[in-house]
């Protein structure tokens, strides 16, 4: 078979160097002490926080501006064009790396086929959910958009409590109320216009879309045979790309918007800074960051991982001030503080529950290793 199809052997050899590098990295980590592995995971998540934070500024920097007096339609067209190109770059990068796994490992394909419905959920609410985020950045700015990101893990907890994944707790209820109040306070009514109002609505939609996928992903990873993270991310991106393309097609078919979308795509491909921004957001801000998140998830609690991902304002605000001189309004800092307080409360509860669950598992393993007195052999007493 291989002699008649030499391209199969060539395709098998494509990821050899990359896979060997990752395998060697995994082997080195397995030989490290747990404290060092945990420290390395936190260092990786710090890099994720910085990459995410810089990506919000890079999106604003790379968005094509058709004119100095750009209208609402122009800005939405620019956001859609940028999202399509960024997701295309990320899907191609992840797809090429995961292609041998998807082609030559039937077990991986069977798992993805079994959970194809949840993969479609990720395609719509994760990949599709990034469309309103980029449009929100285009209609507002990076410093405003990033203030809504700490809302994502709190809404994830709210959705998990609603569907029964996490237990109900009065601390979680207070945290969710604080996050909702913080979202309302974050909206600066004094500078609100039609364009910024639509942008804030897009950011809220993004913050409500991602929790649906995160909870579906949590149930998939909780199984005894979890998915390969790289293959799962690549499949979600490849399935989500047609959805993003459909959004662009619907916007193009709407009356009075088709020309602006083509103009935005032309400007995006014609400006070197827009191309650099697309490559950064597609390769570093998307593909690499999600690989680091999946890699670090094995060495820290999920609640701590979520806290790192929600720390984007710490990285974005200095970058936004240095690049554009953007400073959020004082009322927005108050709203972000309320959301952060809710996030810390959710994180503390989740961390405590996770610690208790792990202690219970360790106790069960310890009891299983100890001989049971009821089944231990006792020699008969000699009278």
């Amino acid at each position: 078979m291989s002699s008649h199809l030499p391209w199969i052997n060539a395709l098998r050899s494509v990821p050899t160097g990359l896979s060997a590098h990752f395998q060697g990295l995994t082997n080195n980590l397995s030989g490290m002490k747990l404290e060092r592995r945990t420290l390395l995971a936190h260092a990786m998540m710090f890099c994720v926080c910085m990459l995410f934070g810089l990506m919000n500024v890079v999106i604003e920097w790379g968005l094509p501006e058709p004119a100095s007096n750009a209208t609402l339609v122009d800005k939405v067209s620019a956001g859609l064009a940028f999202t399509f190109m960024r997701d295309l770059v990320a899907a191609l990068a992840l797809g090429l790396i995961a292609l041998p796994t998807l082609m030559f490992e039937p077990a991986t394909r069977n798992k993805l086929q079994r959970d194809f419905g949840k993969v479609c959920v990720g395609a719509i609410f994760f990949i599709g959910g990034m469309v309103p985020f980029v449009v929100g950045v285009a209609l507002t700015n990076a410093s405003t958009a990033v203030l809504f990101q700490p809302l994502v893990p709190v809404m994830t907890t709210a959705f998990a409590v609603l569907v029964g994944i996490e237990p109900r707790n009065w601390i979680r209820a207070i945290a969710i109320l604080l996050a909702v109040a913080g979202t309302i306070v974050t909206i600066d009514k004094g500078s609100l216009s039609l364009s910024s109002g639509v942008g804030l609505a897009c950011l809220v939609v993004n913050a409500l879309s991602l929790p649906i996928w995160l909870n579906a992903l949590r149930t998939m990873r909780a199984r005894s045979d979890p998915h390969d993270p790289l293959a799962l991310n690549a499949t979600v991106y490849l399935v989500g790309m047609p959805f993003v393309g459909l959004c662009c097609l619907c916007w193009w078919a709407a009356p009075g918007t088709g020309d602006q979308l083509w103009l935005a795509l032309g400007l995006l491909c014609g400006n070197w800074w827009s191309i650099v921004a697309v490559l950064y957001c597609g390769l570093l801000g998307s593909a690499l960051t999600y690989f680091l998140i999946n890699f670090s998830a094995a060495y820290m609690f999920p609640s701590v991982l979520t806290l790192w991902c929600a720390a984007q304002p710490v990285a974005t605000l200095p970058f936004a001030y240095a690049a554009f001189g953007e400073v959020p309004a004082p009322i927005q800092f108050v709203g972000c503080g309320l959301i952060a307080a809710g996030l810390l409360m959710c994180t503390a509860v989740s961390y405590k529950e996770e610690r208790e669950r792990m202690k219970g598992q360790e106790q069960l393993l310890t009891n299983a290793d100890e001989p049971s007195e009821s089944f231990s052999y006792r020699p008969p007493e000699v009278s």
Side-chain angles (χ1 to χ4, degrees):
M1 184 65 154
S2 59
S3 60
H4 295 286
L5 296 176
W7 62 272
I8 293 182
N9 292 330
L11 187 59
R12 285 177 182 270
S13 63
V14 168
T16 301
L18 188 61
S19 299
H21 178 72
F22 287 147
Q23 186 63 37
L25 180 60
T26 304
N27 293 336
N28 292 334
L29 282 175
S30 61
M32 295 173 59
K33 294 182 179 180
L34 180 60
E35 293 80 5
R36 292 187 178 182
R37 280 182 287 175
T38 305
L39 183 62
L40 180 60
H42 282 282
M44 288 183 175
M45 289 309 301
F46 175 78
C47 294
V48 168
C49 179
M50 299 302 292
L51 289 171
F52 271 152
L54 184 58
M55 183 178 68
N56 299 320
V57 179
V58 171
I59 290 175
E60 183 178 356
W61 175 68
L63 281 171
E65 287 291 343
S68 57
N69 55 345
T71 63
L72 175 64
V73 174
D74 294 332
K75 293 181 178 180
V76 173
S77 300
L80 286 174
F82 190 92
T83 305
F84 180 80
M85 296 301 296
R86 184 203 64 173
D87 290 344
L88 181 62
V89 170
L92 290 176
L94 290 170
L96 288 175
I97 297 175
L99 181 61
T101 302
L102 295 173
M103 291 187 63
F104 303 117
E105 293 187 9
T108 301
R109 292 199 306 270
N110 292 336
K111 292 178 185 178
L112 291 171
Q113 291 173 1
R114 179 191 63 191
D115 291 330
F116 187 73
K118 293 182 179 179
V119 170
C120 292
V121 170
I124 296 174
F125 292 99
F126 174 46
I127 307 302
M130 292 304 295
V131 174
F133 176 78
V134 179
V135 173
V137 175
L139 294 175
T140 57
N141 52 55
S143 59
T144 299
V146 77
L147 294 179
F148 287 86
Q149 291 306 298
L151 183 64
V152 174
V154 181
M155 291 297 102
T156 303
T157 300
F159 187 80
V161 171
L162 182 64
V163 299
I165 297 177
E166 293 187 4
R168 296 180 180 179
N169 188 293
W170 65 270
I171 298 180
R172 284 195 173 97
I174 295 176
I176 294 169
L177 291 176
L178 282 175
V180 173
T183 304
I184 297 174
V185 173
T186 302
I187 300 175
D188 187 9
K189 287 81 174 178
S191 60
L192 199 62
S193 62
L194 177 60
S195 178
S196 62
V198 174
L200 292 174
C202 289
L203 296 175
V204 173
V205 170
N206 168 257
L208 296 178
S209 299
L210 291 181
I212 299 176
W213 162 240
L214 292 176
N215 281 282
L217 180 63
R218 179 176 178 178
T219 59
M220 295 167 70
R221 288 180 177 175
R223 293 174 176 169
S224 57
D225 55 339
H227 289 270
D228 177 80
L230 182 60
L232 178 61
N233 282 341
T235 304
V236 170
Y237 262 97
L238 292 173
V239 176
M241 271 307 303
F243 182 78
V244 177
L246 180 62
C247 293
C248 295
L249 184 62
C250 292
W251 181 258
W252 172 78
T257 59
D259 293 338
Q260 282 83 353
L261 183 60
W262 283 115
L263 178 60
L265 283 171
L267 292 174
L268 186 67
C269 298
N271 296 329
W272 66 267
W273 61 87
S274 296
I275 296 176
V276 171
V278 167
L279 292 176
Y280 174 86
C281 295
L283 297 177
L284 300 180
S286 297
L288 178 60
T289 51
Y290 294 125
F291 171 77
L292 293 177
I293 290 173
N294 289 323
F295 201 86
S296 303
Y299 303 107
M300 64 175 60
F301 291 113
S303 56
V304 181
L305 188 76
T306 303
L307 188 61
W308 269 115
C309 294
Q312 296 181 42
V314 179
T316 298
L317 293 178
F319 287 135
Y321 178 76
F324 307 111
E326 296 175 357
V327 179
I331 192 65
Q332 292 180 314
F333 281 113
V334 174
C336 187
L338 292 175
I339 297 175
L343 172 63
L344 291 175
M345 293 175 68
C346 286
T347 302
V349 174
S350 300
Y351 184 81
K352 181 180 178 181
E353 292 175 351
E354 191 71 16
R355 295 268 311 179
E356 293 177 352
R357 185 183 67 83
M358 292 189 66
K359 287 181 179 179
Q361 292 179 348
E362 292 175 357
Q363 187 65 33
L364 288 175
L365 293 175
T366 302
N367 295 337
D369 293 337
E370 294 178 354
S372 176
E373 294 183 358
S374 58
F375 293 98
S376 60
Y377 173 74
R378 293 182 179 180
E381 297 182 359
V382 180
S383 57

